[in-house]
Each structure stands twice: as structure tokens, then as C-alpha cells.
């Protein structure tokens, strides 16, 4: 019997399983990918510069700071909660970095640690208020938005705006550091090999437990397609400045968070609590600790995003973290596919969602349209994403999939 004869039934079974999941409301990243294709197609038609390598390099660099903040929102939404103060927390971190590094003349590493620690402290306060007093996260973080903004203004003092030295490595990291082409290609190959190895390892474990598992040919095919896509994207970005180190850092954070959520006991507990708090408690999960750790993690990532934003602008001021920072971070997580009802979504939602958000912003900027149009378009896309989530949830409930 030929390998082709063996593989065709497996392929047919996979396609049928995929169709069943889609009909059952488990759409995965399909809606956001389809939306991204439409958005890119429209903007490219209206302005051929949109998909140029130069513009895409700029787009990837713009994704890092908001995407990092959105990654924290993803984890909070998995619990069915929300953090409305991530913008203010990012602004506070930027202020602490600038004041510590420039005015107090701390070593840069110490200033960075202090900025991130400030965010972690805010998140721990949120977690304690939530677990000890049962206050809704909406109220806690709304109050935190105001309180942390006040702390940011107090830290900045009368100066109001502080410039970071352009020759500091944190500014160079955010503005000027790009991977050499050979390093970028090697990183892509190594990442795909690690991805294929993880798929194979998972398939072996499932087969040993007599569960449905991916065949070797399917793993090779998926890894090969991913390799071609990533190598093509890397080659295209290298036609301009290349792959930014800050963007690679953001993607690495997404991958690490994905592994934490999917491969650790803590991650499984997050999904369990988001699915049903009472069921998780009866299963022996320390629910209070999960809430505390998630709020702290969200604020920590917001602080890291604030540091990246300050480094990107080479400055921290009274407007850092304000404006549409909250809107974009929360919208990116929801548009990326995280359910507002908790328990469903992945870390990659932050990556997909922020690419959509920044694509809209970049495309409208190239068309010289007012920022008011960007807010309207982003709001419409956000509503459509929530509608898809709601309809998918109803379909899963009707199909008995929860």
C-alpha cells in the first residue's frame, strides 16, 4: 500500500473534523485572518504604498508596545474580567523610567526594573481588592485608571516631559536595532523546527494514550507551510530595514505566554476559572491565587508596553499611556479572538489583533484621513468581532460544546 493511499483517509478525516468544529462554532483565528486579508486588500487598492516593505516594517515596529499591553488584556479576558487602567499603568512605567534614568541618574537596568515593578505593584493591589473585597474588576480598574494617572503626573512633576537619550541602548533597541538577514532566516528555521518538534511530541503522547493524533505527514506539511510563509515575510521585510528586534521581542513574549497558558498547570487553571469559577474551586484550584497572579501579570505587561512606547518615542510625558492606548489594547485582544465571556482564546490573539489595529491606523494615515475616521472604523471592527464571538458562543451552546 502506498503512502498516498494511507494519507488520503487521514486527510479526509482531518477535513471532516475541521468542518465539524467550524459548524459547531469553534472558528479559531479564521474570522480575524479573513478580516485582515480584506483590510489589507482594501488599503492596498486605495494606496499601493500600504503593502510596501518599508510600510510593513514600520507597521511591525508600531505593534510591539500596544501588542504587549494587549497580551496582558488577553489573560485577564480569559478569566472573564477586564482591566481598564492598562494605559495609565503603561504611562506610569514610562514616567518612572524617564525620571529614574534621566533625572535621578540611575543605571538603566535599575530604572527599567523600577518601571516594571511599579506595574506589578499596581496589579497586585487590584488582585487583593478583587479577592479580599469582591469588588468588580470594572470598578477597581476604572478607579485605578484615575489613581495611576495621578501617580504618573506626580512622578513627572512640573517638568511634564522628559526626553530619553538617543544613544541609550533602550532607545536604540526600539528604533534602530534590526536583525541581520542571515540571523533572521536562522531564527525562522529554528522556530519552525521547534514548532514541528512540539507537534510531533504531542502526537506521540496522544498516540500512546490511544487518542486521535496528527500523522507525521501532516506535521511536516504544517511545518513546511509555516516555514515558507515566515521565510517569505522575512525576505520581504529585509527589502527595507528588516525585522525589528523589538518586534521579535514582542513575538517572543506571545510565544512564552502561549506556552504558559497551554503547557502549564497555571495556564490550565486560568482556562478552568474562566470557564466556571465554581467548578474550578471544586476541582481544588486556588481561585484567589489565579486572580491575583493574572491581575499582576496584566499590569506587568502593561508596564513593559509602556517602557517600549517610551523608548520608541525617546520620551515620556503627561500624555504617555493616554489617548487611545486603552482602546487599542482592549480592542486588539477582542478582535484577535479572545471571548469576552471568558475561558476561550489564545495568546496569539494579541498578535493578530494588534496587526489588525495597526493596519487600520497605518492605512488611514496613508490616505490622509482624520483620526476621527480611524476611531469609527476601529469601533466598527470591534463590534463585528464581538458579534462573531457572541454568535459562535450561541452555536457552541446549541451544539452542546459549551
Amino acid at each position: 500500500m502506498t503512502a498516498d493511499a494511507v494519507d488520503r483517509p487521514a486527510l479526509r478525516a482531518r477535513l471532516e473534523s475541521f468542518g465539524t468544529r467550524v459548524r459547531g462554532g469553534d472558528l479559531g483565528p479564521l474570522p480575524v485572518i479573513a478580516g485582515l486579508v480584506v483590510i489589507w486588500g482594501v488599503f492596498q487598492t486605495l494606496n499601493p504604498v500600504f503593502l510596501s516593505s518599508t510600510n510593513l516594517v514600520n507597521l511591525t515596529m508600531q505593534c510591539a508596545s500596544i501588542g504587549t499591553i494587549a497580551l496582558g488584556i488577553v489573560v485577564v479576558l480569559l478569566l472573564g474580567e477586564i482591566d481598564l487602567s492598562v494605559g495609565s499603568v503603561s504611562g506610569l512605567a514610562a514616567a518612572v523610567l524617564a525620571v529614574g534614568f534621566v533625572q535621578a541618574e540611575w543605571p538603566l537596568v535599575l530604572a527599567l526594573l523600577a518601571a516594571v515593578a511599579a506595574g506589578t505593584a499596581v496589579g497586585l493591589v487590584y488582585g487583593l481588592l478583587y479577592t479580599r473585597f469582591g469588588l468588580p474588576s470594572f470598578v477597581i480598574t476604572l478607579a485605578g485608571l484615575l489613581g495611576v494617572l495621578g501617580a504618573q503626573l506626580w512622578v513627572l512633576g512640573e517638568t511634564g516631559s522628559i526626553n530619553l537619550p538617543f544613544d541609550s541602548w533602550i532607545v536604540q533597541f526600539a528604533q534602530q536595532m534590526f536583525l541581520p538577514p542571515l540571523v533572521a532566516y536562522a531564527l525562522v528555521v529554528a522556530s519552525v523546527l521547534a514548532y514541528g518538534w512540539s507537534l510531533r511530541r504531542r502526537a506521540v503522547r496522544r498516540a500512546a494514550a490511544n487518542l486521535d493524533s496528527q500523522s507525521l505527514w501532516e506535521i511536516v506539511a504544517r511545518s513546511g507551510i509555516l516555514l515558507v510563509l515566515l521565510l517569505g515575510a522575512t525576505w520581504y521585510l529585509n527589502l527595507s530595514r528588516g525585522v525589528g528586534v523589538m518586534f521579535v521581542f514582542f513575538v517572543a513574549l506571545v510565544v512564552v505566554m502561549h506556552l504558559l497558558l497551554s503547557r502549564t498547570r497555571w495556564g490550565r487553571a486560568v482556562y478552568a476559572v474562566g470557564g466556571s469559577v465554581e467548578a474550578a474551586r471544586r476541582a481544588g484550584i486556588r481561585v484567589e491565587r489565579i486572580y491575583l497572579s493574572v491581575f499582576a501579570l496584566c499590569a506587568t505587561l502593561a508596564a513593559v508596553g509602556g517602557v517600549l512606547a517610551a523608548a520608541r518615542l525617546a520620551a515620556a510625558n503627561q500624555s504617555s499611556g493616554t489617548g487611545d492606548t486603552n482602546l487599542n489594547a482592549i480592542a486588539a485582544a477582542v478582535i484577535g479572538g479572545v471571548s469576552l465571556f471568558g475561558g476561550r482564546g489564545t495568546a496569539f490573539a494579541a498578535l493578530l489583533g494588534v496587526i489588525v489595529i495597526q493596519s487600520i491606523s497605518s492605512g488611514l494615515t496613508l490616505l490622509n484621513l482624520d483620526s476621527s475616521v480611524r476611531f469609527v472604523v476601529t469601533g466598527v471592527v470591534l463590534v463585528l468581532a464581538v458579534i462573531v464571538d457572541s454568535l459562535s458562543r450561541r452555536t457552541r451552546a446549541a451544539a452542546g460544546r459549551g
Side-chain angles (χ1 to χ4, degrees):
M1 183 178 293
T2 64
D4 183 60
V6 174
D7 291 341
R8 282 184 178 178
L11 177 60
R12 188 180 301 110
R14 283 288 174 185
L15 292 176
E16 291 176 354
S17 176
F18 175 75
T20 301
R21 292 199 305 271
V22 171
R23 288 190 298 271
D26 189 3
L27 300 178
L30 288 179
V32 65
I33 292 176
L36 188 60
V37 171
V38 172
I39 291 170
W40 282 17
V42 170
F43 283 131
Q44 178 65 13
T45 301
L46 296 176
N47 191 329
V49 176
F50 179 77
L51 289 182
S52 66
S53 58
T54 300
N55 189 58
L56 290 183
V57 168
N58 291 332
L59 193 152
T60 58
M61 296 296 285
Q62 292 163 1
C63 286
S65 59
I66 293 295
T68 302
I69 300 173
L71 187 59
I73 293 293
V74 166
V75 186
V76 170
L77 287 179
L78 288 176
L79 292 180
E81 303 297 335
I82 191 64
D83 188 340
L84 300 176
S85 69
V86 287
S88 296
V89 173
S90 70
L92 174 62
V96 171
L97 169 65
V99 170
F101 181 47
V102 177
Q103 293 187 345
E105 298 183 351
W106 295 346
L108 180 55
V109 173
L110 178 60
L112 288 171
L113 291 176
V116 175
T120 304
V122 171
L124 288 173
V125 171
Y126 291 165
L128 289 173
L129 290 175
Y130 184 89
T131 56
R132 295 295 177 89
F133 301 101
L135 297 178
S137 59
F138 178 90
V139 175
I140 296 172
T141 57
L142 182 60
L145 183 152
L146 300 174
V148 175
L149 178 59
Q152 174 188 344
L153 299 178
W154 176 77
V155 170
L156 289 171
E158 296 180 356
T159 304
S161 180
I162 302 174
N163 294 327
L164 298 176
F166 281 98
D167 57 352
S168 61
W169 68 260
I170 187 64
V171 175
Q172 295 293 314
F173 172 82
Q175 296 185 1
Q176 303 294 332
M177 289 188 183
F178 293 86
L179 295 179
L182 289 180
V183 175
Y185 292 132
L187 182 60
V188 167
V189 173
S191 300
V192 173
L193 289 176
Y195 172 73
W197 175 79
S198 67
L199 290 182
R200 182 57 181 168
R201 184 181 177 187
R202 181 173 181 269
V204 170
R205 289 201 305 267
R206 290 182 63 86
N210 293 321
L211 298 173
D212 181 39
S213 61
Q214 293 177 328
S215 61
L216 180 60
W217 71 266
E218 184 179 355
I219 293 174
V220 172
R222 294 182 62 174
S223 300
I225 293 173
L226 180 62
L227 179 64
V228 170
L229 291 176
L230 292 182
L231 285 177
T234 303
W235 168 81
Y236 194 64
L237 293 178
N238 282 331
L239 294 179
S240 180
R241 289 179 293 170
V243 181
V245 175
M246 186 170 70
F247 180 70
V248 174
F249 172 76
F250 163 55
V251 174
L253 285 179
V254 172
V255 173
V256 170
M257 185 59 64
H258 171 72
L259 294 176
L260 288 175
L261 290 172
S262 61
R263 303 293 178 87
T264 66
R265 180 179 299 177
W266 174 83
R268 290 189 290 270
V270 169
Y271 282 105
V273 173
S276 174
V277 176
E278 188 58 32
R281 183 176 286 110
R282 292 183 179 183
I285 296 175
R286 302 292 293 272
V287 174
E288 290 77 12
R289 291 186 179 181
I290 296 300
Y291 279 113
L292 188 65
S293 64
V294 166
F295 278 113
L297 179 60
C298 177
T300 300
L301 289 171
V304 174
V307 167
L308 295 178
R312 178 74 176 158
L313 296 175
N317 50 53
Q318 295 176 343
S319 64
S320 297
T322 59
D324 58 357
T325 301
N326 275 337
L327 164 70
N328 287 339
I330 297 173
V334 177
I335 291 172
V338 180
S339 175
L340 289 170
F341 305 100
R344 300 189 71 87
T346 69
F348 289 101
L351 176 60
L352 293 174
V354 77
I355 291 176
V356 172
I357 293 293
Q358 293 300 334
S359 295
I360 295 173
S361 177
S362 176
L364 294 178
T365 300
L366 290 175
L367 295 176
N368 293 321
L369 295 177
D370 189 76
S371 59
S372 59
V373 179
R374 176 168 57 88
F375 285 125
V376 171
V377 174
T378 303
V380 170
V381 173
L382 176 59
V383 170
L384 291 176
V386 176
I387 290 175
V388 170
D389 176 37
S390 181
L391 293 177
S392 299
R393 185 167 177 263
R394 292 182 185 179
T395 304
R396 290 194 301 268
R401 300 173 66 91

